[in-house]
Amino acid sequence: MSSLLLSSQMDNQLSDLVNKELKVDVAAPNKSPENDKAGNHSKRTENDKDGNHSKGSQNEKGGSQSKGKGKSGKFVLKTPKGTRDYGPMEMAYRREVFNVIYSVFHMHGAVQIETPVFELKDVLTGKYGEDSKLIYDLEDQGGEILSLRYDLTVPFARYVAMNKIDNIKRYHVARVYRRDSPAMTRGRYREFYQCDFDIAGQFDAMIPDAECVQLVHQVLSKLGLGEFTIKINHRKILDGVFGSCGVPSEKFRPICSAVDKLDKSPWEEVRKEMVDEKGLDEEVADKIGNYVKLSGREELLETLANDELLKSSPSAQAGFADLKLLFQYCKSLGCAEHLVFDMGLARGLDYYTGVIYEAVLTAGQNFGEEGPVGSVAGGGRYDGLVGMFDPKKKTVPCVGLSFGIERLFTIYEQKMRAESNKVRATQTEVFVVTACKGMVHERLKLLGLLHEAGIKAEGSYKNNPKILNQLQYAEDNKIPLVALIGESEVEAGVVKIRDTVTREETTIKREELVETVRQKLGGL
């Protein structure tokens, strides 16, 4: 018994010595010992905070280095233009954003589907208007002409038609591809994730549409990215304006595509495109300008509904009626305060037929010369798209939305870094530490016990790691708890539980380990 007491005293002395030797600043992960696993990370550069690639690295720039070969003529490893790698810390930020979006999707009862990353080219052709030129075409593969998917909406419509589905509320999170001009700091890539939520089926007017607006409101509110606006408009209102102003019906979609650029370009440039490129009469373009520059709330709806030019347009009046109802439903859902009726919102894709909406952040978008991020979510009603794939042209009305995850991530990461909020790259809850040599089997037994209980745990990959390196690894990676054992603990059937932040230690019986860890984790 005296031998055990002496051993315990020695352990306490060792613990005191270790605490003195450990760095006081436990939030400096870039200084962890490089030789442990507890140090299994490779060496980091001076600028490499939190294990990320340093600013300005080729991975962050997304292939901004010279093409192919460097000055020495050697091949340069880089990511393709418009793409990037994501390190552990970036993935931790992305995981937080994804989790918020998934939680809201599940809250609304949506089911998940998956579709191929490429489709038959004919499936995608003729659905995107002028943006069709951004589709990536693939080489002929076994007699099939294929293209990478441009979005998740057209594949969803194909899925609904092919499986003869009458109604479904689904979400889909996956990569899409566009041959666009990338702007990396603003979250515009050639390969990027979209997070889609859609409701297909014949339902009463504006109830599903209002749910989509509510969902956008909930996600942006939960992410806490600052003030935002949800712009709404209606394709029937735009068509009514175009028709009343004298636009030929065959030019409705090209002119709509031009109006869609108002969020990025001044009216003068949009007008010039209408006249010079689309062949629209100058007087007609000026009439359109009188309408598409307007934005407001329900009062503007009333004003335009009584407009002399639009009173005789059945299309415009149907659109006004829908938006009035949408405002009422959004008030009942508690998401109307961010709604703005914006006549300049057009959504350039051809398949929209009714309500359209787009969410933009109104603060926290300082991204230098490349300008603001732009819209972070958008969508609308597309009642005719499924019928384009059905042999009998059976239509299934649909409404949905898509979150631009890369843009949300860009702003979220900037916000977290500005607030010095440290997100853990690892989800490990317990790090198992051995204090003596020849204890690898005891460490593995403890890890097995924790894993069997569903507790996230890891330990060193070395047979005889130094205790200091192991404890430093746990602190550097913000692993909340350490389970520490030495020869005396094994003989006595006990384990020391160490709080990584306070460095306080508690000795417990081995059979109490799982329950104690769960209690301590629950209190963090």
Side-chain angles (χ1 to χ4, degrees):
M1 186 69 182
S2 60
S3 173
L4 181 59
L5 178 61
L6 178 61
S7 177
S8 177
Q9 290 174 342
M10 290 177 65
D11 284 345
N12 290 334
Q13 291 173 358
L14 175 62
S15 178
D16 292 340
L17 178 62
V18 164
N19 285 337
K20 289 178 181 178
E21 290 295 327
L22 281 171
K23 300 176 182 64
V24 175
D25 180 12
V26 298
N30 58 313
K31 295 182 180 178
S32 63
E34 63 187 52
N35 293 323
D36 55 351
K37 131 86 187 229
N40 230 10
H41 297 153
S42 58
K43 289 185 180 179
R44 302 168 181 167
T45 63
E46 293 179 8
N47 295 324
D48 193 9
K49 304 292 185 183
D50 301 325
N52 293 332
H53 300 296
S54 58
K55 279 191 175 182
S57 69
Q58 65 179 36
N59 292 315
E60 188 166 307
K61 293 292 184 182
S64 61
Q65 292 188 6
S66 59
K67 296 179 181 179
K69 296 184 177 181
K71 293 181 180 179
S72 63
K74 294 182 179 179
F75 178 74
V76 177
L77 277 178
K78 67 183 188 68
T79 57
K81 184 178 180 181
T83 67
R84 61 169 289 187
D85 294 325
Y86 295 95
M89 286 308 302
E90 285 113 347
M91 288 304 298
Y93 287 123
R94 289 170 71 83
R95 185 168 60 243
E96 289 200 342
V97 176
F98 275 126
N99 286 344
V100 168
I101 294 174
Y102 278 122
S103 70
V104 176
F105 286 170
H106 294 156
M107 184 165 59
H108 286 261
V111 296
Q112 186 176 15
I113 70 164
E114 181 64 270
T115 63
V117 72
F118 46 79
E119 297 274 353
L120 295 174
K121 184 176 181 179
D122 288 346
V123 168
L124 305 181
T125 301
K127 313 300 187 305
Y128 302 107
E130 294 182 0
D131 283 354
S132 293
K133 64 181 180 292
L134 303 180
I135 294 174
Y136 274 105
D137 293 330
L138 302 178
E139 293 285 343
D140 183 2
Q141 299 291 328
E144 291 187 328
I145 309 301
L146 308 173
S147 298
L148 293 177
R149 60 188 174 203
Y150 175 90
D151 67 4
L152 301 178
T153 305
V154 171
F156 170 62
R158 188 267 306 155
Y159 172 87
V160 171
M162 194 174 81
N163 292 282
K164 303 187 185 308
I165 295 171
D166 291 324
N167 62 77
I168 185 174
K169 182 192 293 186
R170 83 85 170 88
Y171 72 90
H172 188 184
V173 177
R175 285 186 172 98
V176 297
Y177 300 85
R178 297 182 184 179
R179 293 173 53 217
D180 206 350
S181 298
M184 307 298 283
T185 60
R186 292 197 292 131
R188 179 183 292 171
Y189 300 89
R190 289 183 167 179
E191 177 195 57
F192 57 95
Y193 271 95
Q194 282 190 336
C195 303
D196 279 28
F197 172 94
D198 293 82
I199 302 170
Q202 189 71 51
F203 304 108
D204 289 340
M206 294 300 104
I207 297 178
D209 309 66
E211 183 176 8
C212 289
V213 173
Q214 181 197 27
L215 195 143
V216 173
H217 180 276
Q218 290 169 334
V219 167
L220 295 182
S221 297
K222 286 177 178 290
L223 287 174
L225 301 178
E227 289 299 313
F228 60 90
T229 296
I230 303 175
K231 301 177 182 180
I232 61 170
N233 201 358
H234 203 295
R235 274 293 177 84
K236 289 183 178 180
I237 294 176
L238 286 171
D239 288 351
V241 168
F242 297 155
S244 299
C245 290
V247 178
S249 58
E250 67 272 12
K251 290 189 176 182
F252 278 12
R253 295 287 75 82
I255 296 303
C256 190
S257 179
V259 172
D260 185 52
K261 298 172 184 174
L262 276 173
D263 64 332
K264 306 179 189 70
S265 306
W267 164 248
E268 291 72 22
E269 291 184 16
V270 172
R271 180 186 184 278
K272 188 175 187 298
E273 179 182 333
M274 287 181 177
V275 174
D276 295 347
E277 297 180 26
K278 315 293 186 187
L280 197 65
D281 185 81
E282 290 188 2
E283 185 178 344
V284 173
D286 290 335
K287 287 182 180 180
I288 294 173
N290 293 331
Y291 290 102
V292 297
K293 297 176 188 176
L294 301 173
S295 67
R297 288 179 60 82
E298 293 169 282
E299 299 79 10
L300 180 60
L301 274 173
E302 291 293 340
T303 300
L304 290 178
N306 294 303
D307 181 86
E308 287 299 322
L309 202 60
L310 300 180
K311 277 199 299 188
S312 58
S313 169
S315 177
Q317 292 301 317
F320 292 136
D322 276 351
L323 291 192
K324 288 177 184 177
L325 190 56
L326 180 65
F327 262 105
Q328 293 173 15
Y329 287 152
C330 286
K331 285 180 180 178
S332 296
L333 288 169
C335 60
E337 68 268 26
H338 294 286
L339 278 187
V340 172
F341 172 40
D342 189 337
M343 285 290 289
L345 177 64
R347 303 290 296 167
L349 302 180
D350 280 1
Y351 52 65
Y352 289 118
T353 58
V355 170
I356 50 177
Y357 34 81
E358 197 167 270
V360 295
L361 299 177
T362 55
Q365 294 200 51
N366 183 20
F367 292 93
E369 294 181 359
E370 289 188 335
V373 163
S375 65
V376 293
R381 177 160 288 280
Y382 51 101
D383 288 346
L385 189 56
V386 174
M388 297 176 70
F389 298 113
D390 190 274
K392 298 180 179 179
K393 302 301 178 185
K394 177 187 175 183
T395 61
V396 179
C398 299
V399 64
L401 62 96
S402 179
F403 289 99
I405 189 67
E406 311 302 341
R407 294 180 176 183
L408 284 174
F409 164 65
T410 297
I411 302 167
Y412 186 78
E413 183 182 26
Q414 185 190 60
K415 170 180 176 284
M416 298 298 283
R417 292 189 184 280
E419 296 175 356
S420 298
N421 288 336
K422 298 292 184 180
V423 176
R424 293 177 58 207
T426 174
Q427 298 184 48
T428 305
E429 296 167 324
V430 180
F431 193 79
V432 179
V433 172
T434 47
C436 312
K437 292 184 178 181
M439 301 199 67
V440 60
H441 291 289
E442 295 299 331
R443 184 168 69 242
L444 294 178
K445 288 177 184 177
L446 219 54
L447 282 169
L449 178 66
L450 292 168
H451 288 159
E452 188 175 356
I455 295 169
K456 304 178 183 72
E458 59 175 317
S460 174
Y461 290 136
K462 290 180 174 291
N463 282 324
N464 301 307
K466 295 179 181 179
I467 185 172
L468 181 64
N469 288 353
Q470 295 174 81
L471 293 174
Q472 191 67 55
Y473 178 87
E475 291 193 358
D476 286 349
N477 290 276
K478 298 180 178 60
I479 300 172
L481 299 177
V482 165
L484 193 151
I485 53 172
E487 290 179 352
S488 59
E489 282 78 17
V490 174
E491 290 175 4
V494 297
V495 179
K496 283 188 177 180
I497 300 297
R498 177 186 175 94
D499 186 303
T500 305
V501 175
T502 66
R503 296 178 177 172
E504 294 178 356
E505 293 181 356
T506 306
T507 302
I508 61 169
K509 294 179 181 179
R510 188 184 182 96
E511 57 267 25
E512 298 173 352
L513 174 62
V514 170
E515 185 60 33
T516 301
V517 166
R518 285 174 175 164
Q519 288 177 358
K520 287 184 175 292
L521 290 173
L524 295 177

